[in-house]
Amino acid sequence: METPRRLSIQYDRQDRVYYVGEVVRGFVILDLEEECHITGIELKLFGGAEVKWTDNRGKDPHQRNDKKLNIEHNVEEIYFKRTMVLWGKGRVDNNHDEGEVLVAGRHMFPFRYHLPTDIPCSFEGVYGSVRYYGLSTLLTKCSKQNETTLSFFSVLQELNLTYETLGGVRKQQDTTIRSCCRSGRVTCTVAIPNCGFVPGQSITANILVQNKSTSKVKGASLALKQMVRYGSYDSHKSRKVLWDAQHVHVGHVSPEKCQRWEGVTLDVPCIPPSRLDCCQYIDIKYDLVFRVMVHAHALTVTLPIIIGTIPQGHHSSHNWEYKVQHPYPGAKNRCVIVDGTKLKDDPEGFMSTFKIYRPSNRGKYPELECSPGGARRFLTDSNEEEEGEEEEVVEEDEDSETNV
């Protein structure tokens, strides 16, 4: 049997993606199959970060049983919480107030909210998240009969690499290998021409491995690693999660050989930008890590990089699109708890959306079938940018580390 009334939230953008400083608009929609007495339609727009994890500390010395002592760490940071009454009197204390009558049919109640400029972008992680949502409530005389609906939206904050200090990076690591015959040395050198990238671009690395030992160097790989640090009010308590956002196997190096790999590439997937600016309890860093196995030991070369949203040399990105966040292991389902009740997002399953850059070697005019030659085939990228309209963009004592 269908419910005689259905509440939903409709944003003015189908992808539900907004930038900091923009206005979120939309409607709360109420579909009634029959007339209904209600006291109001309420909408709460919320943005905040939550970090939560549990430490197992073994047995509690003050208890006789064998129960483990679990310490829960939970912090919350609220960026905005705005409650609006879109229709009626809202929540009333008068038990005799039956409210007003809404006739059967569809009723649309508009809303708008100006997002602050000092808020972080959306993020979903293992031990914490940054979430933005609208929670609409149909208010009745009896609060137990109130109906709610929840709908998330994504918030993006630009990180323009033009304003970051970037440049080429070159690092070298070595180790001594001792065997029954003689000792040898393995040296790894990794260099990249630039240390700032945006999703959609490719990281190009030049790698040199000098194996002056009698052992085979194997398992050589290059990875883009994301490290997320989750903190709490106590600065000595934190959790770290390491994750390979992208990974490629390179090869091996035979004993007493030197191997060079030129132009090894990794494509940057759709991932959140570095740092997670404006969030106090979640920090995001990225490293390019080259790793080889020598016997049972790993030799690694780590180069820190920055993931932004606008490429270096651009004030705004013209060649980009929106994509759902790259699959992240361990990320929790999107839900909130209101008055002890867990509310999930709409059935289609909403996930955070980010911007991915699509560099184009061609101009905005396609090649003609009867083109006389390559001299006037395409416009350059620089001409395209000049003619296009610019878009508006408004130390730890105890750490725990997790690899996923």
Side-chain angles (χ1 to χ4, degrees):
M1 180 178 180
E2 295 184 0
T3 178
R5 56 194 185 190
R6 186 172 64 86
L7 194 65
S8 61
I9 301 175
Q10 177 180 300
Y11 298 98
D12 64 334
R13 298 179 183 176
Q14 188 174 2
D15 54 18
R16 294 184 268 173
V17 178
Y18 299 88
Y19 286 88
V20 298
E22 287 190 332
V23 177
V24 179
R25 296 183 177 91
F27 295 90
V28 172
I29 302 175
L30 177 62
D31 290 308
L32 297 176
E33 292 186 1
E34 57 188 35
E35 67 176 32
C36 180
H37 288 266
I38 66 173
T39 61
I41 300 292
E42 183 182 86
L43 175 67
K44 180 173 76 172
L45 293 175
F46 177 87
E50 183 183 28
V51 171
K52 183 178 181 179
W53 78 86
T54 302
D55 284 337
N56 297 322
R57 295 299 184 184
K59 298 179 182 179
D60 188 348
H62 301 290
Q63 294 187 11
R64 296 180 180 179
N65 53 31
D66 294 333
K67 289 185 178 180
K68 291 184 178 181
L69 178 61
N70 296 326
I71 302 177
E72 186 176 276
H73 304 273
N74 189 358
V75 295
E76 185 181 31
E77 189 174 33
I78 298 176
Y79 307 119
F80 61 83
K81 184 165 60 175
R82 174 72 183 276
T83 301
M84 298 173 279
V85 177
L86 305 182
W87 185 86
K89 300 177 182 179
R91 299 178 185 269
V92 297
D93 297 326
N94 184 4
N95 295 331
H96 300 288
D97 193 339
E98 294 289 343
E100 300 184 33
V101 176
L102 278 180
V103 298
R106 166 162 289 196
H107 304 270
M108 303 179 68
F109 308 96
F111 66 87
R112 68 189 306 272
Y113 177 71
H114 200 130
L115 291 174
T117 58
D118 55 346
I119 58 177
C121 70
S122 300
F123 173 74
E124 290 293 323
V126 178
Y127 300 116
S129 61
V130 178
R131 294 172 174 174
Y132 299 91
Y133 62 84
L135 177 64
S136 180
T137 306
L138 185 150
L139 302 171
T140 61
K141 176 181 132 177
C142 179
S143 61
K144 293 183 179 180
Q145 296 179 359
N146 290 346
E147 293 187 16
T148 61
T149 186
L150 177 71
S151 184
F152 290 91
F153 57 93
S154 292
V155 173
L156 302 184
Q157 185 188 68
E158 297 284 28
L159 177 56
N160 194 333
L161 297 181
T162 300
Y163 307 116
E164 300 293 324
T165 303
L166 304 174
V169 182
R170 182 180 182 273
K171 279 195 175 184
Q172 179 178 296
Q173 286 288 108
D174 56 27
T175 187
T176 300
I177 305 300
R178 294 178 174 84
S179 63
C180 58
C181 300
R182 63 180 178 86
S183 297
R185 202 163 193 82
V186 175
T187 304
C188 298
T189 305
V190 182
I192 53 176
N194 180 35
C195 64
F197 307 90
V198 300
Q201 289 185 324
S202 295
I203 304 174
T204 303
N206 296 323
I207 303 170
L208 174 64
V209 179
Q210 297 171 295
N211 184 12
K212 298 179 180 180
S213 73
T214 58
S215 300
K216 181 178 180 180
V217 175
K218 54 186 179 180
S221 63
L222 188 67
L224 170 61
K225 286 186 176 290
Q226 180 195 75
M227 189 199 77
V228 184
R229 180 185 180 275
Y230 303 89
S232 65
Y233 286 117
D234 185 348
S235 61
H236 300 295
K237 304 297 182 182
S238 67
R239 275 287 177 96
K240 291 180 181 179
V241 176
L242 296 176
W243 170 56
D244 283 5
Q246 198 67 279
H247 183 275
V248 62
H249 291 281
V250 178
H252 66 273
V253 184
S254 300
E256 304 292 348
K257 295 292 183 179
C258 177
Q259 179 68 53
R260 187 187 300 273
W261 292 281
E262 299 283 351
V264 179
T265 60
L266 278 178
D267 294 330
V268 181
C270 194
I271 50 180
S274 297
R275 299 195 297 258
L276 203 64
D277 289 338
C278 301
C279 182
Q280 185 177 356
Y281 302 113
I282 303 176
D283 183 50
I284 303 176
K285 292 182 180 180
Y286 293 96
D287 292 315
L288 186 67
V289 179
F290 178 70
R291 184 175 184 266
V292 297
M293 295 298 297
V294 183
H295 288 304
H297 302 284
L299 176 61
T300 61
V301 183
T302 301
L303 288 71
I305 63 174
I306 297 178
I307 299 298
T309 61
I310 300 178
Q312 192 174 21
H314 295 243
H315 291 290
S316 64
S317 175
H318 295 279
N319 303 318
W320 49 262
E321 63 185 46
Y322 295 126
K323 288 189 67 176
V324 174
Q325 179 179 346
H326 190 64
Y328 189 85
K332 300 176 181 178
N333 294 325
R334 301 179 64 92
C335 65
V336 297
I337 297 178
V338 178
D339 296 332
T341 302
K342 181 182 290 187
L343 303 174
K344 294 184 178 181
D345 191 19
D346 45 355
E348 62 265 25
F350 179 80
M351 286 297 292
S352 299
T353 299
F354 296 100
K355 195 165 67 173
I356 186 166
Y357 184 68
R358 295 296 186 192
S360 175
N361 295 325
R362 297 187 173 188
K364 61 185 179 181
Y365 296 110
E367 181 179 5
L368 299 176
E369 292 182 2
C370 301
S371 174
R376 60 180 187 181
R377 226 171 249 174
F378 306 111
L379 296 175
T380 63
D381 288 340
S382 58
N383 290 337
E384 179 184 2
E385 293 165 9
E386 291 175 2
E387 295 180 8
E389 294 183 0
E390 184 170 321
E391 299 191 7
E392 288 188 15
V393 296
V394 187
E395 138 184 59
E396 297 168 312
D397 293 338
E398 184 179 353
D399 280 355
S400 178
E401 189 172 289
T402 304
N403 289 274
V404 292

PDB file of all heavy atoms in Angstrom, residues 332-357:
ATOM      1  N   LYS A 332      32.427   4.787   4.460  1.00  0.00           N
ATOM      2  CA  LYS A 332      31.156   4.424   5.066  1.00  0.00           C
ATOM      3  C   LYS A 332      29.986   4.837   4.176  1.00  0.00           C
ATOM      4  O   LYS A 332      30.089   5.705   3.333  1.00  0.00           O
ATOM      5  CB  LYS A 332      31.026   5.103   6.427  1.00  0.00           C
ATOM      6  CG  LYS A 332      32.128   4.704   7.409  1.00  0.00           C
ATOM      7  CD  LYS A 332      31.992   5.487   8.704  1.00  0.00           C
ATOM      8  CE  LYS A 332      33.106   5.115   9.672  1.00  0.00           C
ATOM      9  NZ  LYS A 332      33.032   5.883  10.924  1.00  0.00           N
ATOM     10  N   ASN A 333      28.847   4.184   4.400  1.00  0.00           N
ATOM     11  CA  ASN A 333      27.641   4.591   3.709  1.00  0.00           C
ATOM     12  C   ASN A 333      27.187   5.952   4.208  1.00  0.00           C
ATOM     13  O   ASN A 333      27.337   6.284   5.378  1.00  0.00           O
ATOM     14  CB  ASN A 333      26.519   3.565   3.927  1.00  0.00           C
ATOM     15  CG  ASN A 333      26.838   2.232   3.289  1.00  0.00           C
ATOM     16  OD1 ASN A 333      27.464   2.190   2.239  1.00  0.00           O
ATOM     17  ND2 ASN A 333      26.412   1.164   3.929  1.00  0.00           N
ATOM     18  N   ARG A 334      26.632   6.725   3.320  1.00  0.00           N
ATOM     19  CA  ARG A 334      26.222   8.065   3.689  1.00  0.00           C
ATOM     20  C   ARG A 334      24.900   8.009   4.458  1.00  0.00           C
ATOM     21  O   ARG A 334      23.879   7.585   3.943  1.00  0.00           O
ATOM     22  CB  ARG A 334      26.062   8.936   2.449  1.00  0.00           C
ATOM     23  CG  ARG A 334      27.320   9.044   1.631  1.00  0.00           C
ATOM     24  CD  ARG A 334      27.081   9.890   0.406  1.00  0.00           C
ATOM     25  NE  ARG A 334      26.755  11.254   0.791  1.00  0.00           N
ATOM     26  CZ  ARG A 334      27.659  12.216   0.923  1.00  0.00           C
ATOM     27  NH1 ARG A 334      28.928  11.940   0.740  1.00  0.00           N
ATOM     28  NH2 ARG A 334      27.299  13.437   1.249  1.00  0.00           N
ATOM     29  N   CYS A 335      24.951   8.440   5.707  1.00  0.00           N
ATOM     30  CA  CYS A 335      23.749   8.495   6.523  1.00  0.00           C
ATOM     31  C   CYS A 335      24.006   9.424   7.693  1.00  0.00           C
ATOM     32  O   CYS A 335      25.143   9.756   8.005  1.00  0.00           O
ATOM     33  CB  CYS A 335      23.324   7.109   7.021  1.00  0.00           C
ATOM     34  SG  CYS A 335      24.514   6.371   8.154  1.00  0.00           S
ATOM     35  N   VAL A 336      22.948   9.875   8.314  1.00  0.00           N
ATOM     36  CA  VAL A 336      23.039  10.684   9.520  1.00  0.00           C
ATOM     37  C   VAL A 336      22.064  10.121  10.536  1.00  0.00           C
ATOM     38  O   VAL A 336      21.147   9.376  10.198  1.00  0.00           O
ATOM     39  CB  VAL A 336      22.716  12.177   9.251  1.00  0.00           C
ATOM     40  CG1 VAL A 336      23.715  12.788   8.300  1.00  0.00           C
ATOM     41  CG2 VAL A 336      21.301  12.333   8.720  1.00  0.00           C
ATOM     42  N   ILE A 337      22.280  10.478  11.802  1.00  0.00           N
ATOM     43  CA  ILE A 337      21.394  10.029  12.878  1.00  0.00           C
ATOM     44  C   ILE A 337      20.677  11.242  13.451  1.00  0.00           C
ATOM     45  O   ILE A 337      21.311  12.195  13.900  1.00  0.00           O
ATOM     46  CB  ILE A 337      22.187   9.290  13.964  1.00  0.00           C
ATOM     47  CG1 ILE A 337      22.825   8.017  13.382  1.00  0.00           C
ATOM     48  CG2 ILE A 337      21.292   8.932  15.140  1.00  0.00           C
ATOM     49  CD1 ILE A 337      23.673   7.251  14.360  1.00  0.00           C
ATOM     50  N   VAL A 338      19.381  11.221  13.396  1.00  0.00           N
ATOM     51  CA  VAL A 338      18.544  12.308  13.912  1.00  0.00           C
ATOM     52  C   VAL A 338      17.588  11.733  14.937  1.00  0.00           C
ATOM     53  O   VAL A 338      16.800  10.834  14.636  1.00  0.00           O
ATOM     54  CB  VAL A 338      17.757  13.001  12.783  1.00  0.00           C
ATOM     55  CG1 VAL A 338      16.869  14.099  13.349  1.00  0.00           C
ATOM     56  CG2 VAL A 338      18.721  13.579  11.746  1.00  0.00           C
ATOM     57  N   ASP A 339      17.683  12.233  16.171  1.00  0.00           N
ATOM     58  CA  ASP A 339      16.827  11.761  17.260  1.00  0.00           C
ATOM     59  C   ASP A 339      16.911  10.246  17.418  1.00  0.00           C
ATOM     60  O   ASP A 339      15.906   9.561  17.630  1.00  0.00           O
ATOM     61  CB  ASP A 339      15.367  12.183  17.027  1.00  0.00           C
ATOM     62  CG  ASP A 339      15.209  13.687  17.037  1.00  0.00           C
ATOM     63  OD1 ASP A 339      16.007  14.359  17.717  1.00  0.00           O
ATOM     64  OD2 ASP A 339      14.295  14.185  16.357  1.00  0.00           O
ATOM     65  N   GLY A 340      18.123   9.705  17.289  1.00  0.00           N
ATOM     66  CA  GLY A 340      18.334   8.280  17.471  1.00  0.00           C
ATOM     67  C   GLY A 340      17.966   7.417  16.288  1.00  0.00           C
ATOM     68  O   GLY A 340      18.113   6.203  16.328  1.00  0.00           O
ATOM     69  N   THR A 341      17.479   8.029  15.192  1.00  0.00           N
ATOM     70  CA  THR A 341      17.070   7.274  14.012  1.00  0.00           C
ATOM     71  C   THR A 341      18.072   7.480  12.889  1.00  0.00           C
ATOM     72  O   THR A 341      18.427   8.614  12.567  1.00  0.00           O
ATOM     73  CB  THR A 341      15.674   7.712  13.542  1.00  0.00           C
ATOM     74  OG1 THR A 341      14.743   7.527  14.610  1.00  0.00           O
ATOM     75  CG2 THR A 341      15.227   6.898  12.343  1.00  0.00           C
ATOM     76  N   LYS A 342      18.538   6.382  12.296  1.00  0.00           N
ATOM     77  CA  LYS A 342      19.472   6.484  11.183  1.00  0.00           C
ATOM     78  C   LYS A 342      18.710   6.744   9.895  1.00  0.00           C
ATOM     79  O   LYS A 342      17.817   5.992   9.510  1.00  0.00           O
ATOM     80  CB  LYS A 342      20.292   5.207  11.061  1.00  0.00           C
ATOM     81  CG  LYS A 342      21.329   5.236   9.929  1.00  0.00           C
ATOM     82  CD  LYS A 342      22.089   3.938   9.825  1.00  0.00           C
ATOM     83  CE  LYS A 342      23.028   3.752  10.991  1.00  0.00           C
ATOM     84  NZ  LYS A 342      23.906   2.565  10.802  1.00  0.00           N
ATOM     85  N   LEU A 343      19.071   7.844   9.253  1.00  0.00           N
ATOM     86  CA  LEU A 343      18.424   8.220   8.002  1.00  0.00           C
ATOM     87  C   LEU A 343      19.404   8.066   6.856  1.00  0.00           C
ATOM     88  O   LEU A 343      20.507   8.605   6.897  1.00  0.00           O
ATOM     89  CB  LEU A 343      17.929   9.675   8.070  1.00  0.00           C
ATOM     90  CG  LEU A 343      16.951  10.004   9.211  1.00  0.00           C
ATOM     91  CD1 LEU A 343      16.671  11.490   9.241  1.00  0.00           C
ATOM     92  CD2 LEU A 343      15.662   9.216   9.052  1.00  0.00           C
ATOM     93  N   LYS A 344      19.026   7.341   5.834  1.00  0.00           N
ATOM     94  CA  LYS A 344      19.880   7.162   4.675  1.00  0.00           C
ATOM     95  C   LYS A 344      19.457   8.111   3.558  1.00  0.00           C
ATOM     96  O   LYS A 344      18.357   8.635   3.540  1.00  0.00           O
ATOM     97  CB  LYS A 344      19.811   5.716   4.180  1.00  0.00           C
ATOM     98  CG  LYS A 344      20.388   4.710   5.156  1.00  0.00           C
ATOM     99  CD  LYS A 344      20.386   3.325   4.572  1.00  0.00           C
ATOM    100  CE  LYS A 344      21.013   2.326   5.558  1.00  0.00           C
ATOM    101  NZ  LYS A 344      21.049   0.954   4.997  1.00  0.00           N
ATOM    102  N   ASP A 345      20.386   8.298   2.632  1.00  0.00           N
ATOM    103  CA  ASP A 345      20.116   9.168   1.500  1.00  0.00           C
ATOM    104  C   ASP A 345      19.133   8.488   0.551  1.00  0.00           C
ATOM    105  O   ASP A 345      18.730   7.352   0.746  1.00  0.00           O
ATOM    106  CB  ASP A 345      21.443   9.486   0.793  1.00  0.00           C
ATOM    107  CG  ASP A 345      21.301  10.590  -0.240  1.00  0.00           C
ATOM    108  OD1 ASP A 345      20.302  11.330  -0.156  1.00  0.00           O
ATOM    109  OD2 ASP A 345      22.175  10.703  -1.102  1.00  0.00           O
ATOM    110  N   ASP A 346      18.780   9.209  -0.488  1.00  0.00           N
ATOM    111  CA  ASP A 346      17.789   8.709  -1.432  1.00  0.00           C
ATOM    112  C   ASP A 346      18.222   7.380  -2.059  1.00  0.00           C
ATOM    113  O   ASP A 346      19.397   7.037  -2.083  1.00  0.00           O
ATOM    114  CB  ASP A 346      17.525   9.752  -2.513  1.00  0.00           C
ATOM    115  CG  ASP A 346      18.811  10.366  -3.040  1.00  0.00           C
ATOM    116  OD1 ASP A 346      19.888  10.046  -2.500  1.00  0.00           O
ATOM    117  OD2 ASP A 346      18.737  11.136  -3.990  1.00  0.00           O
ATOM    118  N   PRO A 347      17.282   6.604  -2.595  1.00  0.00           N
ATOM    119  CA  PRO A 347      17.542   5.230  -3.013  1.00  0.00           C
ATOM    120  C   PRO A 347      18.652   5.077  -4.044  1.00  0.00           C
ATOM    121  O   PRO A 347      19.333   4.053  -4.075  1.00  0.00           O
ATOM    122  CB  PRO A 347      16.190   4.789  -3.597  1.00  0.00           C
ATOM    123  CG  PRO A 347      15.190   5.665  -2.921  1.00  0.00           C
ATOM    124  CD  PRO A 347      15.875   6.978  -2.728  1.00  0.00           C
ATOM    125  N   GLU A 348      18.858   6.072  -4.934  1.00  0.00           N
ATOM    126  CA  GLU A 348      19.856   5.879  -5.977  1.00  0.00           C
ATOM    127  C   GLU A 348      21.283   5.897  -5.453  1.00  0.00           C
ATOM    128  O   GLU A 348      22.211   5.527  -6.160  1.00  0.00           O
ATOM    129  CB  GLU A 348      19.709   6.921  -7.093  1.00  0.00           C
ATOM    130  CG  GLU A 348      19.914   8.363  -6.655  1.00  0.00           C
ATOM    131  CD  GLU A 348      18.615   9.053  -6.335  1.00  0.00           C
ATOM    132  OE1 GLU A 348      17.642   8.347  -5.999  1.00  0.00           O
ATOM    133  OE2 GLU A 348      18.575  10.291  -6.419  1.00  0.00           O
ATOM    134  N   GLY A 349      21.502   6.319  -4.212  1.00  0.00           N
ATOM    135  CA  GLY A 349      22.825   6.254  -3.611  1.00  0.00           C
ATOM    136  C   GLY A 349      23.729   7.374  -4.063  1.00  0.00           C
ATOM    137  O   GLY A 349      24.386   7.279  -5.100  1.00  0.00           O
ATOM    138  N   PHE A 350      23.773   8.439  -3.306  1.00  0.00           N
ATOM    139  CA  PHE A 350      24.577   9.598  -3.668  1.00  0.00           C
ATOM    140  C   PHE A 350      25.980   9.488  -3.098  1.00  0.00           C
ATOM    141  O   PHE A 350      26.171   9.116  -1.954  1.00  0.00           O
ATOM    142  CB  PHE A 350      23.906  10.871  -3.142  1.00  0.00           C
ATOM    143  CG  PHE A 350      24.663  12.135  -3.429  1.00  0.00           C
ATOM    144  CD1 PHE A 350      24.585  12.722  -4.675  1.00  0.00           C
ATOM    145  CD2 PHE A 350      25.451  12.724  -2.460  1.00  0.00           C
ATOM    146  CE1 PHE A 350      25.278  13.881  -4.951  1.00  0.00           C
ATOM    147  CE2 PHE A 350      26.151  13.882  -2.717  1.00  0.00           C
ATOM    148  CZ  PHE A 350      26.063  14.472  -3.968  1.00  0.00           C
ATOM    149  N   MET A 351      26.989   9.801  -3.907  1.00  0.00           N
ATOM    150  CA  MET A 351      28.381   9.832  -3.462  1.00  0.00           C
ATOM    151  C   MET A 351      28.983  11.178  -3.825  1.00  0.00           C
ATOM    152  O   MET A 351      28.509  11.867  -4.721  1.00  0.00           O
ATOM    153  CB  MET A 351      29.182   8.709  -4.114  1.00  0.00           C
ATOM    154  CG  MET A 351      28.887   7.330  -3.551  1.00  0.00           C
ATOM    155  SD  MET A 351      29.328   7.175  -1.811  1.00  0.00           S
ATOM    156  CE  MET A 351      31.108   7.286  -1.911  1.00  0.00           C
ATOM    157  N   SER A 352      30.062  11.539  -3.112  1.00  0.00           N
ATOM    158  CA  SER A 352      30.717  12.823  -3.347  1.00  0.00           C
ATOM    159  C   SER A 352      31.221  12.915  -4.785  1.00  0.00           C
ATOM    160  O   SER A 352      31.688  11.946  -5.372  1.00  0.00           O
ATOM    161  CB  SER A 352      31.893  13.008  -2.389  1.00  0.00           C
ATOM    162  OG  SER A 352      31.451  13.001  -1.054  1.00  0.00           O
ATOM    163  N   THR A 353      31.108  14.109  -5.341  1.00  0.00           N
ATOM    164  CA  THR A 353      31.521  14.358  -6.714  1.00  0.00           C
ATOM    165  C   THR A 353      32.673  15.358  -6.730  1.00  0.00           C
ATOM    166  O   THR A 353      32.682  16.313  -5.966  1.00  0.00           O
ATOM    167  CB  THR A 353      30.339  14.902  -7.533  1.00  0.00           C
ATOM    168  OG1 THR A 353      29.295  13.928  -7.549  1.00  0.00           O
ATOM    169  CG2 THR A 353      30.746  15.217  -8.959  1.00  0.00           C
ATOM    170  N   PHE A 354      33.649  15.134  -7.608  1.00  0.00           N
ATOM    171  CA  PHE A 354      34.777  16.044  -7.737  1.00  0.00           C
ATOM    172  C   PHE A 354      34.983  16.402  -9.203  1.00  0.00           C
ATOM    173  O   PHE A 354      34.343  15.851 -10.099  1.00  0.00           O
ATOM    174  CB  PHE A 354      36.053  15.423  -7.161  1.00  0.00           C
ATOM    175  CG  PHE A 354      35.971  15.163  -5.689  1.00  0.00           C
ATOM    176  CD1 PHE A 354      35.699  13.895  -5.206  1.00  0.00           C
ATOM    177  CD2 PHE A 354      36.134  16.188  -4.775  1.00  0.00           C
ATOM    178  CE1 PHE A 354      35.615  13.646  -3.847  1.00  0.00           C
ATOM    179  CE2 PHE A 354      36.050  15.959  -3.419  1.00  0.00           C
ATOM    180  CZ  PHE A 354      35.785  14.692  -2.961  1.00  0.00           C
ATOM    181  N   LYS A 355      35.903  17.312  -9.433  1.00  0.00           N
ATOM    182  CA  LYS A 355      36.184  17.797 -10.767  1.00  0.00           C
ATOM    183  C   LYS A 355      37.389  17.070 -11.346  1.00  0.00           C
ATOM    184  O   LYS A 355      38.397  16.877 -10.673  1.00  0.00           O
ATOM    185  CB  LYS A 355      36.462  19.299 -10.695  1.00  0.00           C
ATOM    186  CG  LYS A 355      36.428  20.003 -12.028  1.00  0.00           C
ATOM    187  CD  LYS A 355      36.340  21.500 -11.849  1.00  0.00           C
ATOM    188  CE  LYS A 355      37.598  22.058 -11.228  1.00  0.00           C
ATOM    189  NZ  LYS A 355      37.570  23.532 -11.201  1.00  0.00           N
ATOM    190  N   ILE A 356      37.296  16.642 -12.601  1.00  0.00           N
ATOM    191  CA  ILE A 356      38.402  15.983 -13.266  1.00  0.00           C
ATOM    192  C   ILE A 356      38.720  16.747 -14.536  1.00  0.00           C
ATOM    193  O   ILE A 356      37.824  17.113 -15.307  1.00  0.00           O
ATOM    194  CB  ILE A 356      38.077  14.494 -13.554  1.00  0.00           C
ATOM    195  CG1 ILE A 356      39.306  13.784 -14.117  1.00  0.00           C
ATOM    196  CG2 ILE A 356      36.870  14.345 -14.475  1.00  0.00           C
ATOM    197  CD1 ILE A 356      39.197  12.267 -14.119  1.00  0.00           C
ATOM    198  N   TYR A 357      39.983  17.046 -14.739  1.00  0.00           N
ATOM    199  CA  TYR A 357      40.443  17.868 -15.854  1.00  0.00           C
ATOM    200  C   TYR A 357      40.611  17.017 -17.111  1.00  0.00           C
ATOM    201  O   TYR A 357      41.141  15.905 -17.059  1.00  0.00           O
ATOM    202  CB  TYR A 357      41.762  18.534 -15.475  1.00  0.00           C
ATOM    203  CG  TYR A 357      42.304  19.496 -16.502  1.00  0.00           C
ATOM    204  CD1 TYR A 357      41.656  20.691 -16.780  1.00  0.00           C
ATOM    205  CD2 TYR A 357      43.491  19.209 -17.180  1.00  0.00           C
ATOM    206  CE1 TYR A 357      42.173  21.573 -17.715  1.00  0.00           C
ATOM    207  CE2 TYR A 357      44.004  20.087 -18.117  1.00  0.00           C
ATOM    208  CZ  TYR A 357      43.338  21.267 -18.383  1.00  0.00           C
ATOM    209  OH  TYR A 357      43.850  22.144 -19.304  1.00  0.00           O
TER     210      TYR A 357
END
